[in-house]
Amino acid sequence: MSSNETTLALRTGNGATLNVVGEVDVVSVSHLRWRLHHAAIAADGRELLVDLSAVTFMDSAGLRLLLEVHQVLGPRPRLHARPGGRSEEAP
């Protein structure tokens, strides 16, 4: 990870939203894995939204983590990102 810090914020209510800001790489992915685990618990069976719109960089370790989350939780978590500066949501 370079000078960009990765920050994570969890909001709960009708489900849970985990906002990821900065870089997701081999250095930060273990902390993100831990936070995703706790976000899934906080969602308590409701929707889990992982907001990646403020992620500036993601390497293969981050992509691998997203695949792991999908394999464990199935379709429950939604990913929100802005590739190319647009806002898009994956079902």
Side-chain angles (χ1 to χ4, degrees):
M1 187 166 69
S2 68
S3 61
N4 289 339
E5 281 290 315
T6 302
T7 59
L8 305 165
L10 179 63
R11 292 185 319 228
T12 59
N14 191 16
T17 300
L18 182 65
N19 296 306
V20 185
V21 178
E23 297 184 356
V24 179
D25 58 16
V26 69
V27 175
S28 63
V29 77
S30 62
H31 183 67
L32 178 56
R33 179 178 286 111
W34 181 82
R35 291 301 301 259
L36 278 166
H37 173 76
H38 288 279
I41 292 169
D44 193 29
R46 296 179 305 259
E47 181 176 78
L48 170 59
L49 175 66
V50 182
D51 186 345
L52 302 171
S53 60
V55 170
T56 57
F57 173 81
M58 183 179 292
D59 70 5
S60 60
L63 294 173
R64 186 176 324 113
L65 175 60
L66 295 178
L67 290 172
E68 289 172 15
V69 168
H70 179 70
Q71 288 174 342
V72 171
L73 299 178
R76 189 176 66 175
R78 288 190 312 147
L79 303 179
H80 175 76
R82 280 191 329 215
R86 301 188 330 254
S87 181
E88 296 182 6
E89 288 190 17

